Amino acid sequence: MTTSAPTPQQLRDWDNEHVWHPFTPMQAFRQEQAPIIARGEGFDLIDVEGNRYLDGVSSLWCNVHGHCVPEIDAAIRQQLDCIAHTTMLGLSSPPAIELAKRLVDVTPAGLTKVFYSDSGSTSVEAALKIAYQYHQQKPSPEPQRKTFATLSGAYHGDTIGSVSVGSIDLFHRLYGDLLFPTATIPSPVGLWHPAEHSRESYLEECYAKLEQLFVEQGDRLAAFVIEPLVQGAAGILVHPEGYLRRVRELTKQYGVLLIADEVAVGFGRTGTLFACEQENVQPDLMCVAKGISGGYLPLAATLATDEIFNAFLGAPSECRTFFHGHTYTGNPLACAAALASLDLFQKNNVLANVHSNAKAIAEELSRLTSHPHVAEVRQRGMMVGIELVQSRDPLTPFPSELRLGHQVIIEARKRGVIIRPLGDVIVLMPAPAMPEEQVRRLCRETIAAIETVCRNVDVVSQPH
Ligand SMILES: *Cc1c(COP(=O)(O)O)cnc(C)c1O
């Protein structure tokens, strides 16, 4: 029996019938006729009907060099001819070994050990358990160090441990009873500051709360978990210069581990290969995922210092082992893709491209700074958040049932651009290697989409 390939309509019907999409209100989604992506070409996505879209969010923040990149494709094919998967539990593989060495070479000094997993969430989950166990097993144990410090609006993944150290109300509130308690201090960003503060005085308050956290709880903290420089999922919140540095100083002073979650910011997005570099910070544990494989295959790593690793050594009977590991950990195909991606960073001078693109983005989006419905354009490197509001003064959000951010991305889609909002924050996160011309087109179509949608809203809400 031969079966013919399903038609686009069949695919759409089956998608609606059987597929439960992540972070997606399914009832609305089914009405939407979302593109079904069949192919990629460079920085374009092509759907089953042949429509072409610019990939404006790097296929959710992970693509680096584009799609169907000959060098990465070849590296995966070559590995495929050797073996697709073999376990890291008690065995090893050449690509996983080579990649560990390369990661140690390119990440901040002091990180010398690589623990693989397969997603950002699992890389954070591993970091939390390692930190917790470390304090119990280190030369002078401090088992009372059990609390994790986090920032408001933090996002570290969707598994229960990583949700526990997250604090995005909309995603996390529902699971409150399942989560372990944390010490959460306000994120140092000022747009929605409390009424009794100015933007500046609120930032000072955030710094004061940071110091206070260590004075009051410094001896009970296991680790401080932070997205360095930019909190992605909270709406591309950009921290003030020096904040990360201050967190590093305090964690060091109080014997608290610093876990840098570079899952989103890592691999070039902020202008350096890793965001920690910009404040000369060496974390104790670092989580990488999303961009690690060039955005090709699920792969993640938790990097650790010798000091942490050594606390897990001892005779097997002492049970100091890190009892944790996922089946597809360190998958050789994914590691081969990651090695090829690191080669391309050098060969194509991707970081220089990020710098010139960041300038182009700032130039294009400067048109929005006076737009009556744009509260703020936030940018760090090639990570951009455009926050839309009903009014700038007084600062008033759009009613959430308008789904304004969603309206904008649907309008952008009609203009051949795929983006995805976080509430009413329009996120642009083109791949670090995207050519400037396409980056400019992304900005212009996004502005056009924002202007169209806002004009419609203004017409509807005009008094009669
Ligand atoms: C996306 C993200 C994660 C989770 O990664 P997954 O691969 O989706 O599990 C963790 N931390 C940060 C900062 C992220 O942006």
Side-chain angles (χ1 to χ4, degrees):
M1 193 181 91
T2 57
T3 50
S4 53
T7 64
Q9 191 52 50
Q10 273 175 321
L11 286 170
R12 171 121 22 239
D13 292 344
W14 296 344
D15 191 28
N16 286 341
E17 200 66 36
H18 302 299
V19 182
W20 191 343
H21 290 263
F23 277 104
T24 303
M26 289 306 298
Q27 191 176 319
F29 178 80
R30 288 162 151 198
Q31 318 297 321
E32 234 169 60
Q33 310 274 314
I36 300 170
I37 304 301
R39 293 186 303 121
E41 242 180 63
F43 300 87
D44 284 348
L45 303 170
I46 300 154
D47 72 13
V48 287
E49 274 118 357
N51 301 304
R52 193 177 267 272
Y53 310 89
L54 187 58
D55 184 357
V57 284
S58 307
S59 293
L60 233 93
W61 310 5
C62 63
N63 187 269
V64 177
H65 308 284
H67 301 281
C68 297
V69 181
E71 292 91 337
I72 304 180
D73 291 4
I76 294 173
R77 287 198 182 100
Q78 201 181 345
Q79 180 57 41
L80 195 52
D81 286 336
C82 300
I83 189 167
H85 182 67
T86 169
T87 184
M88 296 291 286
L89 279 68
L91 299 177
S92 204
S93 75
I97 296 168
E98 261 185 79
L99 179 61
K101 168 132 186 50
R102 290 282 290 279
L103 287 174
V104 167
D105 287 345
V106 298
T107 49
L111 298 167
T112 52
K113 300 292 186 280
V114 177
F115 186 90
Y116 286 115
S117 59
D118 36 44
S119 76
S121 305
T122 56
S123 73
V124 170
E125 207 76 32
L128 298 175
K129 287 173 72 179
I130 289 171
Y132 190 85
Q133 192 172 345
Y134 164 73
H135 289 297
Q136 300 176 39
Q137 298 184 176
K138 65 188 180 182
S140 308
E142 292 183 285
Q144 84 285 1
R145 289 196 180 273
K146 290 184 171 168
T147 307
F148 290 91
T150 64
L151 295 179
S152 62
Y155 178 78
H156 298 289
D158 297 331
T159 53
I160 291 296
S162 59
V163 168
S164 292
V165 292
S167 59
I168 294 186
D169 230 32
L170 179 66
F171 304 166
H172 298 159
R173 186 181 37 210
L174 209 62
Y175 309 106
D177 288 345
L178 293 178
L179 310 178
F180 56 75
T182 56
T184 303
I185 57 169
S187 165
V189 290
L191 180 64
W192 297 96
H193 59 76
E196 69 271 22
H197 276 289
S198 70
R199 212 171 158 141
E200 292 68 30
S201 76
Y202 182 63
L203 276 186
E204 282 168 26
E205 162 109 347
C206 291
Y207 269 94
K209 287 256 166 73
L210 172 67
E211 309 278 332
Q212 190 189 348
L213 166 77
F214 285 92
V215 172
E216 289 174 1
Q217 303 190 54
D219 59 344
R220 274 169 287 151
L221 296 179
F224 194 116
V225 192
I226 190 169
E227 296 161 79
L229 304 189
V230 183
Q231 287 180 243
I236 317 294
L237 304 182
V238 180
H239 292 169
E241 217 178 296
Y243 187 80
L244 177 66
R245 182 74 236 150
R246 188 67 193 131
V247 170
R248 175 69 286 191
E249 287 162 3
L250 287 164
T251 47
K252 198 158 251 172
Q253 185 185 334
Y254 284 86
V256 178
L257 298 178
L258 176 62
I259 301 175
D261 176 355
E262 293 243 8
V263 170
V265 293
F267 296 96
R269 301 223 179 250
T270 68
T272 41
L273 197 55
F274 299 101
C276 282
E277 293 168 40
Q278 295 185 37
E279 303 218 336
N280 205 10
V281 158
Q282 300 165 6
D284 302 293
L285 290 157
M286 188 165 119
C287 305
V288 288
K290 291 195 170 105
I292 187 176
S293 64
Y296 262 64
L297 288 160
L299 180 69
T302 307
L303 285 95
T305 60
D306 279 341
E307 194 180 334
I308 291 174
F309 178 79
N310 289 342
F312 291 75
L313 299 179
S317 57
E318 291 178 69
C319 292
R320 299 163 76 88
T321 305
F322 184 42
F323 293 104
H324 183 110
H326 302 286
T327 305
Y328 284 101
T329 278
N331 173 264
L333 293 174
C335 290
L339 284 164
S341 170
L342 280 173
D343 286 342
L344 288 177
F345 264 100
Q346 286 187 324
K347 182 177 163 223
N348 297 340
N349 205 353
V350 171
L351 293 179
N353 196 58
V354 173
H355 283 277
S356 50
N357 276 336
K359 277 201 200 110
I361 291 169
E363 203 179 289
E364 295 289 339
L365 296 185
S366 65
R367 268 181 54 200
L368 284 177
T369 46
S370 54
H371 192 284
H373 291 297
V374 174
E376 195 172 63
V377 178
R378 297 184 285 267
Q379 185 192 350
R380 190 87 198 220
M382 290 176 72
M383 299 177 81
V384 178
I386 304 163
E387 182 146 2
L388 303 175
V389 288
Q390 177 126 51
S391 97
R392 281 157 62 127
D393 193 15
L395 194 63
T396 316
F398 279 110
S400 61
E401 60 274 17
L402 269 183
R403 295 188 83 200
L404 205 91
H406 186 72
Q407 289 193 49
V408 169
I409 70 127
I410 296 297
E411 179 63 30
R413 197 180 287 171
K414 292 183 197 151
R415 297 163 178 277
V417 165
I418 297 275
I419 47 178
R420 188 175 160 87
L422 289 159
D424 287 344
V425 177
I426 306 303
V427 176
L428 304 183
M429 212 180 299
M434 188 183 278
E436 183 174 321
E437 220 175 80
Q438 279 164 293
V439 170
R440 287 187 186 273
R441 197 183 120 224
L442 169 65
C443 292
R444 285 173 193 161
E445 297 300 355
T446 301
I447 293 173
I450 289 172
E451 284 173 343
T452 303
V453 169
C454 286
R455 211 177 297 123
N456 292 344
V457 170
D458 286 341
V459 168
V460 172
S461 62
Q462 215 132 75
H464 297 282

